[in-house]
Amino acid sequence: MRADTVTPATKAAAASRSTLPQWVEEACIGTAYTPLEFLSLPVATQEQFVKTLHPDIALAQVTATASVGKVRTEAATGLSRAPVQSTISPGQPLAATQMLTAAASTPAKTYIEAEPDTSGGVSLNFASSGSAQVNTTAINPGNWTSDQIAALQATDFHVTTNSGIPASAVTVKNAAGQLTLTLTDSAVSQLTPTGTNITLAVTGPTATQQPLSIVVNVWRPSIQRAHVSLDLGNKSELQFMYSGYYTGSSTTTHDPMTISDARLMDVPNVNVLDNSGSTPVRIHGLYGDTDNSSPESFGPPLTSSSLLVSTNDTTEAVPGYYAIYQFDDIRHIEMTASGQTLQLSYDGYITDQSRLAAIGLDVPELVLHVESTLMPSTGNTQMAMFETVSNPKTVAGQANTLDLTNKIFFERTYDTCFTVGGGTPEDYVPIDYMPIANDGPLKGYNEGLAIRSTETTFPYTISYNFNNKNGPDAWLGSHWMQVNGWSDTDISPKEATSESINIPPHDDYGFTSLTDRGMASKQETAGSVAYDDHNGTNGDTGIAMKWSSQAVGPFAPGDQKTMVFNSQVNNSYPPVLTVDNKTLTVDQNTANASVPGTVSDENSQKVNVYYSLDKPVTPTTVPAAADRHLLDSVDYGIAAAPHDDYLPFNGTLSSSTLQAIKTAVKDNDEHTLYLYAVDVPDATQTQEMVSNIETVRINPKAQAVLHFETAAGRVLRAPVTKRGTAGTAYNFKDFAATAADVTASAATDLTGHAPLTIGTYALDQSSLPANAAGNLPDSNTGSVDITFVYKPLSLSLSVPDLKFGQHPLPQADAAYPNKGTGTFTYAAGSVSHSVQLSAALTGFKDLTHSNAAPLAQADIAFTPTGGTAVQVPAGADGDTPGTATAITGKMTSHAGTGNTIPFSAINLEVSGNAGATLKTDQYKATVMYTLTDADTTL
């Protein structure tokens, strides 16, 4: 701590500043100023020193304290500093240049986070050289020499804290370049997981010496170790906890954590306790999960990962294997238990530069804040993990600028294994698919993975359900992957040698790319094998889940991502139901109808299939037994559980059921059958269980959407929608003479053809869409898109030049004949219809005098051969055409080239009234022709 030498001058100075605020006394530490000198500096300069050297002092205090009149000189105290050579008025420039140099020196900054040892000690080493950055692993010496560092005494360090722990509770010792802070027992007992900032400020011995600003965040963990048990019925319990199996008392410890233990804390663990026998038997699902009697022990399971981190810029740790890592260390650890909820929070760090480079980050360290919660989910039958990872706003006491938006991604891996009691681990336990989801983000796809013991005595399943908006967007069952802490010799050449399950091109083992979703988009039968088989021939199995950078999304400083999955334990299983057809067509003439399908139940012998007409049901809201409508039943007979096979049922509707449906469909609307299966309790379970819900749409509405586009995808007109009942036949390529244009027929008319021409395009009848005829779909969407392709019409027009020569200014109405040919020619290609020619004329622009008025009192008269003249009026100016006028009647078109439209005369007619404004200049106008072929305009 800094101690001032007592002299008459210092006594006088102390007397004069006795009423100064405490913050002023602290703020001048590390500068070349006394408190009075500091307070006389401009406010902006005071704020800069406070922000740089003492960030724990509120800036509001600076602006709230009035400045003092003059700077007074004071004898040097502690370490010598440059003398002040003049007095300074507030707001004026410094005259003492030597003092300015010392005060303006950029401090050498250090920010270190540390746990005290059992004696309350924290040992810190000085780095071998200074850095312009904030040091986070060793003290930044700035431009100090090793001799100057070694000469530092305890009294040279000014100590402040930012919490209720007083500076007097911290003892500073410097020996051979190693700095030791020792906290009193009382101070240690007050430490929290967040920590206390202990700031050590040192002023340099020379004017050019950098001040040292050393911030040590001293923290201690708070670990309340506990587990939660959920009664599953059937004499079994689900138990969950963090890390290795622990069922001891819920005690709190603050003992220092080792790095290896700390990293393994964030592993959600699910176990089963079977109480069916005289002695409870534990069944666990992670490899190496041994009992932990000590609340501080977080060793096993070593081969399942905590949170894994990487970015889209990751490189291959070894050929074919992406780099992805657990944290090097976790700090600020707090674990709590309240009722049936366990919570864990910590800051995770990756500081290894080779690892940071491997995942594409050029930063001193990656720091993320993690908040994890384990709690029962709805129904109290499964564990839910909620984990929120944040990109902190400050790192090492400085503003964080690392924006990882659409770049960072996370993974978790489980080394799956079934072990019953103290028996031999089933490390080869197969990975099966969970049922297809009826709702949620994974609706229509398998909602997760499960492992099932091959022990028939304990037929338990542990499932991992990912059907949540914050669930992983990629997951798979695979061979166990290597995680940090195990040597490369423990794995075969095909497995990853880094903490990774991203291993292209081995798509049988891992994600084939950073965007691969693995098994997250599958539609496999529930209970079917996702990886390995049920004979244990492929050895070690595992499960991986990934939240891709797309799922994480924005991740700038201050942003966060929540990740969720559920884990459930079963020893009795609900039926799994499927139906063969998702639609049913019934009208008043229907005599018989059925809804066939299959049903499976692993442990029950008999299963009943029920239906509900138009009244939705869920697995938790099925009607009471007396109110159910039986559709069919299946029975495994004498077959021993577990059952892997699906039994078929016919699902023939009874006459009363069919009549109820026929009555319902009289409204010509869509109706729904909800099918569900309920097993019959027997020796394997005490309560009935309900299957998934299957829906069958009765007379479902469907549609065909007709699109009209060019080969390049340009839309030529708005789509046309035709509607009917799913399964009804349609034909939109009927070109019979009586067939209608689909754009002009009723929305319920399911026959006809696309328009032959649209604008300047003709229907390409040589490549009609394959689905132009078929049946309206019975899929969930109930819609089919049919796209007709059109080609440009082969219609071209050649027009004659119009030249009317030179003439005197007219004094009366005048007509001037065209001096060129009067014949138009066109080519009609393969399309032959009637054609009609129209023309529009702009005003005549004066080409000699640009500002002269145009000739608008004029027209061009076209006289078709054998016809009468048609006048096309000029527009108001030289850029705007007048009214378009048909200059021929409808003429029969002929396919091929050389078709002509002859005119016997084409005359320019000028009104005599125009003479007054005309000049002896050259005039020019533009004629725009339109050739119309049926409803096609060119």
Side-chain angles (χ1 to χ4, degrees):
M1 293 178 288
R2 173 175 172 169
D4 287 350
T5 303
V6 179
T7 67
T10 57
K11 287 182 178 180
S16 67
R17 71 187 192 216
S18 60
T19 59
L20 292 181
Q22 178 63 29
W23 77 265
V24 181
E25 300 282 349
E26 296 177 2
C28 65
I29 302 301
T31 75
Y33 298 101
T34 66
L36 286 173
E37 292 168 356
F38 185 88
L39 198 56
S40 294
L41 295 174
V43 171
T45 305
Q46 295 178 36
E47 288 180 333
Q48 182 61 38
F49 278 125
V50 168
K51 285 192 292 186
T52 304
L53 297 176
H54 304 283
D56 52 308
I57 296 177
L59 288 177
Q61 298 185 77
V62 178
T63 56
T65 304
S67 295
V68 187
K70 287 187 176 181
V71 173
R72 301 182 183 183
T73 60
E74 182 182 3
T77 59
L79 293 176
S80 62
R81 58 177 173 80
V84 178
Q85 298 178 349
S86 66
T87 58
I88 309 166
S89 297
Q92 290 184 346
L94 288 173
T97 57
Q98 186 178 12
M99 186 181 72
L100 174 63
T101 303
S105 296
T106 302
K109 295 182 181 181
T110 302
Y111 187 95
I112 294 177
E113 297 169 317
E115 289 180 84
D117 59 27
T118 54
S119 300
V122 174
S123 296
L124 308 170
N125 294 313
F126 279 85
S128 58
S129 60
S131 169
Q133 306 300 319
V134 178
N135 277 20
T136 57
T137 56
I139 298 174
N140 186 354
N143 59 0
W144 291 55
T145 67
S146 58
D147 290 341
Q148 290 172 325
I149 292 171
L152 284 169
Q153 301 298 311
T155 54
D156 296 328
F157 295 88
H158 181 79
V159 180
T160 57
T161 67
N162 71 338
S163 71
I165 297 175
S168 59
V170 182
T171 301
V172 180
K173 179 182 177 181
N174 182 45
Q178 184 178 65
L179 192 65
T180 301
L181 308 182
T182 303
L183 281 68
T184 63
D185 291 344
S186 175
V188 171
S189 69
Q190 296 180 61
L191 290 176
T192 66
T194 302
T196 292
N197 281 356
I198 299 175
T199 302
L200 310 177
V202 184
T203 303
T206 67
T208 58
Q209 200 76 39
Q210 283 183 277
L212 301 183
S213 176
I214 306 166
V215 179
V216 184
N217 179 275
V218 184
W219 64 278
R220 68 170 183 164
S222 179
I223 309 296
Q224 185 183 7
R225 195 74 184 276
H227 77 282
V228 173
S229 289
L230 303 178
D231 186 0
L232 299 176
N234 300 319
K235 297 181 179 181
S236 61
E237 299 175 37
L238 180 151
Q239 297 178 328
F240 61 83
M241 65 219 64
Y242 283 107
S243 192
Y245 186 72
Y246 178 83
T247 57
S249 60
S250 179
T251 57
T252 301
T253 178
H254 301 285
D255 291 347
M257 302 294 298
T258 65
I259 290 177
S260 59
D261 280 348
R263 294 196 319 163
L264 293 167
M265 294 177 71
D266 187 12
V267 180
N269 191 355
V270 173
N271 288 260
V272 185
L273 196 65
D274 188 295
N275 299 308
S276 60
S278 57
T279 302
V281 177
R282 182 169 81 91
I283 299 100
H284 58 84
L286 298 181
Y287 181 80
D289 181 17
T290 59
D291 292 2
N292 285 307
S293 58
S294 171
E296 298 95 346
S297 177
F298 291 93
L302 293 173
T303 53
S304 294
S305 77
S306 58
L307 187 66
L308 294 166
V309 183
S310 191
T311 78
N312 287 347
D313 294 329
T314 183
T315 57
E316 295 186 1
V318 294
Y321 299 83
Y322 288 132
I324 182 167
Y325 299 111
Q326 297 180 98
F327 293 118
D328 294 337
D329 191 11
I330 69 174
R331 306 169 195 161
H332 307 292
I333 305 165
E334 182 172 22
M335 182 182 290
T336 61
S338 176
Q340 292 185 317
T341 299
L342 307 179
Q343 291 183 300
L344 170 65
S345 68
Y346 62 88
D347 288 340
Y349 297 76
I350 297 180
T351 58
D352 186 304
Q353 289 301 303
S354 63
R355 289 188 165 201
L356 289 168
I359 62 174
L361 294 179
D362 182 16
V363 292
E365 60 183 356
L366 173 65
V367 184
L368 301 174
H369 180 67
V370 181
E371 298 273 353
S372 175
T373 300
L374 304 182
M375 61 187 296
S377 61
T378 304
N380 233 38
T381 60
Q382 53 187 314
M383 178 207 77
M385 185 211 77
F386 299 87
E387 185 158 84
T388 299
V389 182
S390 304
N391 189 4
K393 291 184 178 181
T394 58
V395 172
Q398 308 295 309
N400 180 20
T401 60
L402 182 60
D403 188 346
L404 296 170
T405 295
N406 295 323
K407 184 174 183 179
I408 195 169
F409 66 89
F410 304 106
E411 288 189 24
R412 283 186 172 274
T413 61
Y414 278 127
D415 184 5
T416 49
C417 172
F418 251 113
T419 306
V420 178
T424 303
E426 297 178 46
D427 204 13
Y428 51 81
V429 62
I431 311 294
D432 293 343
Y433 286 105
M434 288 186 66
I436 291 176
N438 289 312
D439 52 18
L442 291 177
K443 181 179 180 180
Y445 300 97
N446 296 101
E447 58 186 353
L449 300 170
I451 57 174
R452 185 182 66 196
S453 171
T454 59
E455 293 279 342
T456 56
T457 307
F458 297 96
Y460 285 95
T461 293
I462 297 179
S463 59
Y464 297 89
N465 189 310
F466 308 128
N467 190 15
N468 185 285
K469 67 178 182 179
N470 292 313
D473 60 326
W475 41 267
L476 52 76
S478 178
H479 201 284
W480 166 69
M481 292 291 104
Q482 168 73 351
V483 296
N484 188 67
W486 286 69
S487 67
D488 295 348
T489 57
D490 289 315
I491 55 176
S492 68
K494 280 191 175 183
E495 296 177 64
T497 55
S498 64
E499 299 175 26
S500 172
I501 200 165
N502 283 311
I503 52 171
H506 310 297
D507 55 2
D508 57 333
Y509 283 129
F511 302 118
T512 58
S513 69
L514 294 176
T515 57
D516 179 29
R517 297 188 63 203
M519 298 172 178
S521 56
K522 298 289 187 178
Q523 296 176 308
E524 303 293 340
T525 301
S528 61
V529 177
Y531 183 77
D532 206 327
D533 56 35
H534 289 172
N535 297 315
T537 57
N538 285 336
D540 213 340
T541 59
I543 289 174
M545 53 194 89
K546 178 172 67 173
W547 290 262
S548 70
S549 61
Q550 183 178 7
V552 174
F555 209 67
D559 288 335
Q560 61 186 28
K561 169 62 182 175
T562 297
M563 296 174 278
V564 174
F565 73 87
N566 288 354
S567 188
Q568 185 172 13
V569 173
N570 302 89
N571 66 344
S572 55
Y573 307 95
V576 177
L577 176 69
T578 67
V579 293
D580 295 346
N581 299 301
K582 293 285 189 178
T583 62
L584 177 66
T585 301
V586 175
D587 59 30
Q588 301 307 308
N589 297 318
T590 302
N592 299 287
S594 62
V595 187
T598 63
V599 68
S600 174
D601 192 293
E602 288 199 35
N603 60 289
S604 298
Q605 295 299 112
K606 184 177 180 179
V607 181
N608 295 322
V609 181
Y610 300 96
Y611 73 87
S612 171
L613 177 60
D614 286 337
K615 185 176 181 179
V617 295
T618 70
T620 58
T621 62
V622 296
D627 299 324
R628 297 172 188 167
H629 301 287
L630 182 66
L631 178 67
D632 215 328
S633 297
V634 299
D635 195 324
Y636 281 97
I638 61 173
H643 313 123
D644 288 328
D645 51 332
Y646 281 72
L647 300 182
F649 61 87
N650 288 328
T652 300
L653 300 178
S654 66
S655 58
S656 60
T657 300
L658 182 58
Q659 184 56 50
I661 294 175
K662 292 168 72 172
T663 299
V665 300
K666 287 181 178 180
D667 60 6
N668 293 319
D669 206 347
E670 180 177 326
H671 295 266
T672 304
L673 275 178
Y674 298 90
L675 270 62
Y676 58 97
V678 181
D679 56 14
V680 178
D682 53 26
T684 63
Q685 66 186 63
T686 58
Q687 296 178 331
E688 66 181 18
M689 303 183 76
V690 182
S691 74
N692 55 298
I693 310 300
E694 290 284 351
T695 57
V696 177
R697 301 164 64 202
I698 303 173
N699 296 349
K701 301 303 179 185
Q703 63 182 24
V705 182
L706 313 184
H707 303 270
F708 312 95
E709 302 176 0
T710 67
R714 176 187 165 199
V715 176
L716 297 178
R717 62 152 292 151
V720 170
T721 300
K722 301 292 186 177
R723 297 180 175 85
T725 300
T728 304
Y730 65 81
N731 181 7
F732 298 122
K733 57 178 182 179
D734 182 358
F735 294 97
T738 57
D741 182 331
V742 294
T743 63
S745 60
T748 55
D749 193 343
L750 299 180
T751 61
H753 60 78
L756 299 178
T757 58
I758 301 177
T760 60
Y761 292 85
L763 176 66
D764 186 355
Q765 297 187 41
S766 66
S767 60
L768 293 174
N771 61 349
N775 296 87
L776 292 179
D778 59 3
S779 63
N780 286 334
T781 59
S783 182
V784 60
D785 290 289
I786 305 171
T787 301
F788 293 94
V789 176
Y790 286 73
K791 298 188 300 185
L793 286 168
S794 54
L795 186 64
S796 61
L797 175 69
S798 296
V799 300
D801 289 334
L802 300 182
K803 297 180 180 180
F804 299 104
Q806 294 181 341
H807 303 280
L809 293 178
Q811 301 302 313
D813 293 349
Y816 310 106
N818 177 35
K819 297 183 177 297
T821 177
T823 301
F824 294 73
T825 61
Y826 68 93
S830 59
V831 180
S832 180
H833 296 287
S834 61
V835 295
Q836 187 172 35
L837 184 62
S838 300
L841 176 66
T842 68
F844 286 79
K845 186 181 296 185
D846 189 325
L847 299 183
T848 307
H849 297 89
S850 59
N851 59 348
L855 169 59
Q857 295 175 300
D859 61 64
I860 297 180
F862 293 85
T863 305
T865 300
T868 58
V870 177
Q871 294 175 324
V872 178
D877 56 58
D879 298 312
T880 305
T883 303
T885 305
I887 57 177
T888 70
K890 290 187 177 181
M891 303 172 293
T892 301
S893 170
H894 300 282
T897 60
N899 296 299
T900 62
I901 306 176
F903 287 87
S904 58
I906 301 176
N907 296 327
L908 170 62
E909 297 179 343
V910 179
S911 170
N913 296 331
T917 58
L918 288 176
K919 300 179 181 297
T920 55
D921 294 338
Q922 185 177 7
Y923 288 80
K924 182 179 181 180
T926 301
V927 185
M928 282 157 282
Y929 298 97
T930 301
L931 182 64
T932 302
D933 181 348
D935 59 349
T936 301
T937 300
L938 198 70

